[in-house]
Structures are given as C-alpha cells and as structure tokens.
Amino acid sequence: MTDDRPAWARRITAERKARDWSQRDAVRALRAHASTELPADDSMIRQWKRWESGQAPNDFYQPIIAAVFGTVTHALFPAPSRRDGEKEILAASGMETLEIVSRLNRSDVDGATLDALRITTDRLCSEYPFMPSGQLIIEGRQWLRRVVELHTKSLTLAQHREVLALSGWLALLVGCVEYDMGDRHAAESTRRAALSLANEADHSEVAGWAHEMRAWFALTTGDYRGVISAAQAGAEIAPNHSVAVQLAGQEAKAWARLGDRRQVEVALDKGRRLLEGMPHPENLDNHFVVDPAKFDFYSMDCYRLVGEDRLARTLAEEVLRAGTDFDGTERSPMRNAEARVTLGVAAAREGDLEQALIHGERALKGDRQSVPSLIMTSRELAAVMRQRYSTEPTAQDYLNHLQDLGREKPGFLPS
C-alpha cells in the first residue's frame, strides 16, 4: 500500500524504529530535550501517534522533535524554497553576461556592476552540484580573472574590499572543482589564494571556508588530526557563520575515523546547535551555504563509520529523498552517491552482497562527482567486501572498478 503520509511523518517513524524505541520511549526522549514541562505521558503518546500519522506538530514541538533525532528543524520540516532559478537572477541584476563584461571594461565601477557580479558569483556557486566539472571550472576561472582585473580600476575602499571578497568566493569555487577533478596541488594553491584574499579583505566567512577546504582535503587524504586542526581554526575565525556548522561536521567525520564515539557526538551536537540558531538560508543551492538537510548527511557518514548501521541507513534514505526531485532528477548528486555507498556498506555487513553491489556501482556512475570524497567512502565498502566476500567474483569486479577510478586520478588511489 502507498504511504501517503508527509515525508517528515515517515521519517520520525523510521528514526524511532531504527533506535528500537516504542512511542513511549520517544516521548521520554522528547521530555529530555524540552526546556519546559510537557503534558502527561498518555496525552503526549496520543500526540506522538498523531504526528506519526501525519498531523503536523506546531512550532514549539518541531525543534524538540528534531533534537530528539539529532538533526535540525529545517532538515526534518523543510521550509519552502524561495528561489525561482535563472529568472530571479536576471530580474535581480537586470543584466546579461555581455552587459556585465562590457561594464567591467570601463575605467570605474558602479554599484550596479558590483550587484551583477555578486549575483553572477552566487549563480556559479549554485551550479556546483549540477554543472559538469569541466564546464564549471572554465566559467569559474573566466569570472575570477574578470573580477581580479577590477583591481586595476578606480575603486573606493568599500568597492576594493567587495572585489577582494568576490575574488575570494570565486577562488574557493574553483579550488573545490579542481579538487573534485583530482588536481590536488592546483586546488591547494587556489585555496591559499582565497585565504590570502580573505585576510586582505578582512572577510571572516571566506577565510572560514578556506579552512573548511583544508579540513576536507585532509579528510580525504587520511590526515584526521589535520582535519580537527583545520576545523577548529576555521571555527575560531568564523564562529557566527554557517561554515562553522560544516566545520563541526568535518570534525565529527574525523573523530569517527579515529574511533572516538564521544567526540563524534560532541562535534555533531555543536554543529546542530549552531545550525538550529541560524536563519533559514534563502539559496539552498549555493555550495557555500549550509543547507539544513546537509546535517543529516554529516550524521549519516559518522554513524556508518561507528557501525550504527540502522541509523546510517535511515539517514541515507533521507539524504536520497531530500536530494531527489519528484521526477527523479537528482538535486544533490554527490551527496546521493555517498548515501548509496552507505546503503551498500549496511547491506554488505548484513550479508546482502547483491544489494551492496547495486548501491556501490550506482554510486560510481554519477555525471557530477567529487572523486576524492567518493573514493574515500567507497574505500569503506571495499574494506567490507575484502573482509567478507573476497572469494566472490562479483565483489572482485567492484573492487577492480574502484581501482580503475583511483588510477584515473593519481593521488587518490584507494588502498
């Protein structure tokens, strides 16, 4: 039978069952996270049943329910999108690319040109999950050169700082794509350039993301202490920006790989509390905006690593649901790929080799990939395959496929 309940109602049911909780257990957990006294148990259990059947909780209960399951309000109860794609961008700037470029050739720069550049930068950063890497890196570098050339124009002090910040954002984007494509050395040079621009502009948010990139690079190359160092440095520089949430997520991933379950929970809780206190972002597609749904992605990675397979699977299914449109179009292909690896790991540990291979192979087939991140997570599935299915020809085929992917990107070959 079709389950017509809202996605959040299906999720809280699945989350509760993944923890082996009764509804009374869930109410007990709800009380532990509430800052005020709640009604009697019988009343709250009836209320919980109504929530699981699809009756929406009010604004008081939503953040408490989210906290019970270790997530944030807008990941569990998404706010409606406020963007209308390219039409909004054109309406906001009033300019097309040709007009923006022609304005850049003037001896001075006006406010309308800078506004158009801000919107163009936002558009490029929003294309990160979807646009093929080869195309995005060309466009990103072209616009970075154009913006950097503005330093030769007559600029006010405020305009100079704005141009430095825009250059920093574009450098961050280019560095991310370079790393996705396997060009580690170019990515690190670009990251350092972004950090230098941020320091010159005194722009803490760009600087925070430059440290986040260092944490990401360290994570995918196995330098877990380096991840923690970079995450803590970035959080100190940009404690009030959403990048601090992602830094907490990277720190949690590092602790998970070091086997410290307590520090994983501390880092995740730090990130959750930061994100819960921030306004809902207007543009969820921008790579340098922390989408509330991404918090489930961090938790999924950590729970997979510490062996909490039921929780990891539940979160992986939620990541896939949130990252896929109703027509099957993937909004978050890179996150979805790692969610499929997680489902593969859970299936492999449970003895279902066929499902593990289906998920693992599908994860490797996306058009838009971050090769280092994908290999890092796939390495975990490979380890289970070697441990449990070393004599199975189909498992060996998957391992060979993964080795071939690693050879295509020197420096990222899995062990």
Side-chain angles (χ1 to χ4, degrees):
M1 295 180 63
T2 302
D3 190 341
D4 294 326
R5 293 177 300 161
W8 57 262
R10 297 195 300 271
R11 178 175 176 183
I12 65 172
T13 304
E15 290 264 14
R16 175 177 62 78
K17 291 179 178 179
R19 290 164 170 78
D20 288 324
W21 287 354
S22 66
Q23 291 176 330
R24 185 174 296 275
D25 293 330
V27 167
R28 188 177 299 116
L30 197 73
R31 290 191 188 284
H33 286 84
S35 58
T36 59
E37 188 173 346
L38 302 181
D41 273 3
D42 288 346
S43 175
M44 285 306 307
I45 291 170
R46 287 194 297 271
Q47 183 65 69
W48 191 278
K49 291 179 184 293
R50 287 193 287 268
W51 292 337
E52 288 197 4
S53 70
Q55 181 177 315
N58 61 27
D59 291 344
F60 171 77
Y61 282 111
Q62 285 186 8
I64 307 175
I65 296 170
V68 164
F69 295 122
T71 187
V72 291
T73 305
H74 289 304
L76 191 54
F77 305 99
S81 174
R82 302 179 189 178
R83 285 182 63 86
D84 190 22
E86 293 297 324
K87 291 182 180 179
E88 181 181 331
I89 293 172
L90 181 60
S93 68
M95 300 184 204
E96 295 182 346
T97 298
L98 182 61
E99 184 180 354
I100 298 172
V101 173
S102 67
R103 282 172 170 261
L104 296 180
N105 291 326
R106 298 177 183 176
S107 60
D108 58 355
V109 178
D110 59 17
T113 304
L114 284 177
D115 285 342
L117 285 174
R118 290 187 201 101
I119 293 163
T120 300
T121 300
D122 180 75
R123 177 186 68 81
L124 286 169
C125 292
S126 300
E127 293 289 352
Y128 177 81
F130 317 108
M131 187 181 290
S133 299
Q135 181 182 348
L136 183 56
I137 202 165
I138 290 171
E139 287 200 33
R141 285 171 174 167
Q142 285 176 340
W143 280 105
L144 179 56
R145 280 193 293 270
R146 289 166 182 160
V147 174
V148 168
E149 286 171 2
L150 288 180
H151 293 289
T152 65
K153 310 292 184 183
S154 299
L155 301 174
T156 66
L157 180 60
Q159 287 175 332
H160 177 67
R161 291 185 64 183
E162 178 70 17
V163 168
L164 286 171
L166 289 172
S167 301
W169 286 120
L170 289 167
L172 289 171
L173 176 65
V174 169
C176 285
V177 181
E178 287 170 338
Y179 201 72
D180 287 341
M181 296 174 72
D183 195 344
R184 183 193 305 177
H185 298 296
E188 174 59 17
S189 296
T190 308
R191 185 197 71 81
R192 288 175 180 269
L195 182 58
S196 177
L197 290 162
N199 290 337
E200 189 176 350
D202 194 23
H203 200 291
S204 60
E205 189 174 10
V206 171
W209 279 106
H211 284 285
E212 191 280 335
M213 285 175 66
R214 182 163 71 93
W216 172 36
F217 296 175
L219 184 71
T220 55
T221 54
D223 178 13
Y224 305 133
R225 294 292 175 183
V227 177
I228 296 165
S229 174
Q232 293 175 350
E236 185 175 346
I237 289 171
N240 299 317
H241 294 287
S242 66
V243 65
V245 178
Q246 185 137 325
L247 288 162
Q250 299 288 32
E251 184 178 348
K253 290 182 177 186
W255 285 120
R257 285 165 172 82
L258 289 169
D260 193 327
R261 175 64 182 269
R262 178 180 173 278
Q263 290 297 335
V264 169
E265 297 292 352
V266 169
L268 285 176
D269 192 58
K270 177 172 60 177
R272 185 189 65 77
R273 290 177 184 275
L274 283 168
L275 187 53
E276 192 68 89
M278 293 178 178
H280 192 269
E282 293 189 6
N283 179 12
L284 296 177
D285 289 334
N286 190 308
H287 180 58
F288 301 108
V289 168
V290 177
D291 174 359
K294 197 172 185 181
F295 197 79
D296 296 327
F297 174 71
Y298 305 146
S299 300
M300 173 197 78
D301 182 270
C302 294
Y303 285 130
R304 180 187 69 246
L305 283 157
V306 299
E308 293 280 2
D309 292 338
R310 291 180 66 183
L311 288 175
R313 184 192 304 107
T314 299
L315 289 169
E317 290 168 351
E318 180 60 25
V319 168
L320 286 168
R321 186 200 64 77
T324 307
D325 281 328
F326 68 93
D327 61 357
T329 301
E330 298 204 350
R331 293 195 300 267
S332 305
M334 290 180 283
R335 275 188 241 172
N336 286 3
E338 293 190 39
R340 291 188 175 100
V341 173
T342 297
L343 292 174
V345 170
R349 287 172 178 164
E350 292 169 353
D352 191 341
L353 176 59
E354 181 180 2
Q355 280 301 307
L357 290 169
I358 289 171
H359 292 305
E361 285 289 356
R362 189 172 179 190
L364 299 177
K365 291 180 179 177
D367 293 331
R368 181 68 178 93
Q369 296 179 342
S370 174
V371 173
S373 296
L374 184 56
I375 287 181
M376 176 186 70
T377 52
S378 296
R379 184 185 295 128
E380 295 159 21
L381 178 54
V384 180
M385 294 284 189
R386 291 191 186 96
Q387 180 182 4
R388 302 192 181 199
Y389 308 102
S390 59
T391 61
E392 295 286 344
T394 52
Q396 194 59 49
D397 289 343
Y398 170 77
L399 295 173
N400 291 337
H401 188 176
L402 192 58
Q403 288 285 348
D404 290 342
L405 178 63
R407 291 190 188 97
E408 291 171 10
K409 306 295 179 184
F412 295 115
L413 187 66
S415 57

